[in-house]
Amino acid sequence: MNFITINDINAAEMDIFARATENQLKSHYDGIFLAESASVIQRAIENGYEPVSMLVERGRIDVEAKPVFETLEQYCGSEMLHSLPVYVAEHDLVINMTGHALVRGLWMALRRKPTLSVQDFCRDNKRIAVLVDVTSPLNVGAIFRSAAALGMDGVLLTHASVDPMTRRAARVSMGTVFQIPWAQIPLEDSDGLNVIDILHSYGYKTVAMALTDDSVSVDSDEIRANEKVAIMLGTEGTGLPKDVIAASDYRVKIPMYHNVDSLNVAAASAISFWELMKQS
């Protein structure tokens, strides 16, 4: 292993782990992103993402890092295993890295793969989630995890939605952002009605999660019978834009009790995915 001891968090080698923003990693560091925790890193490697470097607390090398090294050797070969820079630091040195105290002392920088075009994504996937300006990385990660677990074909995001490759979204998703297809709609096409038009042009029936007078129950056999279905999910709090709700083919509600009128978007997505994937 190419272990390199780090004694100063201000060392240049630590820029991508400690100082560069995620937008800077994407635009100025040749398309790099950070993954954290062993299971998330392993899923990224297993799904073809190229490792660039790794940072690990010294006390984690023989426990959390060991399965990552095994995955590296299995999927990338012994040459990568022995050449990859593995920066090793004491716990007290990295504990103050922003947001990193919550994970188990293990981070990897990997290179992004080419992103899918909207055209290729919509051509190849029949059951999709569409995130309309969902800006919380926690919600995006949770929706990806539910989509993967419950058999959805992929996730389409508007331009304003959180990049699924961000550290927190990938961690919350448990690495499923690396497993199922996704695409992001360009800014110029991300207006709500444009999104509906794009989906209709590829043969999707659009399903808005919204409480309206004409909403049908989420367990609708009619919806399940469609060949291509896009479940529209809005941001936390305000939900979907009114014009998107009005232009969708279906408006769907989840029956609720005790005067509760809404669920967190991630929870609502899981219920809708489960119902949609049932056999008619």
Side-chain angles (χ1 to χ4, degrees):
M1 299 296 302
N2 184 19
F3 291 121
I4 302 168
T5 297
I6 295 293
N7 295 313
D8 183 2
I9 199 64
N10 294 311
E13 296 90 340
M14 293 296 96
D15 283 349
I16 61 175
F17 295 101
R19 284 174 289 281
T21 66
E22 290 182 293
N23 283 336
Q24 288 172 334
L25 290 176
K26 183 178 181 180
S27 59
H28 300 310
Y29 285 84
D30 201 20
I32 286 175
F33 68 95
L34 292 183
E36 58 187 20
S37 83
S39 60
V40 174
I41 292 170
Q42 286 175 274
R43 282 189 170 170
I45 294 170
E46 290 165 359
N47 286 278
Y49 290 87
E50 177 192 351
V52 174
S53 62
M54 185 172 172
L55 172 63
V56 58
E57 289 182 14
R58 189 172 302 279
R60 307 288 186 179
I61 292 174
D62 294 330
V63 184
E64 283 87 352
K66 184 177 179 181
V68 173
F69 297 149
E70 293 171 350
T71 302
L72 265 175
E73 184 169 29
Q74 179 181 355
Y75 286 86
C76 302
S78 58
E79 183 177 349
M80 172 65 80
L81 177 66
H82 295 295
S83 65
L84 183 76
V86 179
Y87 302 113
V88 180
E90 299 296 338
H91 173 77
D92 290 344
L93 188 70
V94 297
I95 192 64
N96 292 321
M97 291 168 56
T98 302
H100 290 17
L102 299 177
V103 300
R104 297 178 67 84
L106 187 65
W107 307 268
M108 181 176 280
L110 302 105
R111 202 171 307 283
R112 291 170 180 258
K113 296 192 290 187
T115 55
L116 277 174
S117 69
V118 173
Q119 178 182 6
D120 288 343
F121 176 87
C122 291
R123 183 187 62 228
D124 295 336
N125 299 296
K126 293 184 177 181
R127 295 287 194 265
I128 65 170
V130 182
L131 308 192
V132 180
D133 300 350
V134 179
T135 57
S136 163
L138 302 182
N139 283 333
V140 169
I143 291 168
F144 264 85
R145 187 175 182 182
S146 294
L150 298 173
M152 298 293 285
D153 293 328
V155 180
L156 184 64
L157 306 96
T158 59
H159 185 268
S161 295
V162 167
D163 180 353
M165 307 292 281
T166 57
R167 182 176 54 84
R168 293 184 74 193
R171 186 185 73 226
V172 172
S173 82
M174 292 299 293
T176 55
V177 296
F178 310 125
Q179 293 180 282
I180 65 172
W182 63 272
Q184 198 146 23
I185 302 170
L187 174 61
E188 60 271 19
D189 294 326
S190 279
D191 174 80
L193 291 181
N194 282 343
V195 173
I196 293 291
D197 288 342
I198 289 169
L199 292 167
H200 284 163
S201 73
Y202 286 103
Y204 289 99
K205 292 294 186 180
T206 50
V207 180
M209 301 299 296
L211 290 173
T212 61
D213 291 340
D214 61 348
S215 293
V216 299
S217 178
V218 70
D219 60 352
S220 167
D221 287 335
E222 180 182 341
I223 295 175
R224 284 197 290 261
N226 288 291
E227 181 182 3
K228 298 182 75 172
V229 177
I231 298 181
M232 313 295 294
L233 298 161
T235 191
E236 189 73 21
T238 57
L240 287 168
K242 291 182 179 179
D243 56 354
V244 171
I245 295 172
S248 292
D249 297 295
Y250 300 97
R251 283 148 293 282
V252 162
K253 63 182 178 181
I254 298 170
M256 285 177 275
Y257 302 90
H258 301 293
N259 295 319
V260 176
D261 62 1
S262 66
L263 292 172
N264 168 275
V265 64
S269 74
I271 294 170
S272 62
F273 299 161
W274 169 257
E275 289 293 347
L276 177 64
M277 295 307 295
K278 284 182 179 179
Q279 297 297 315
S280 298

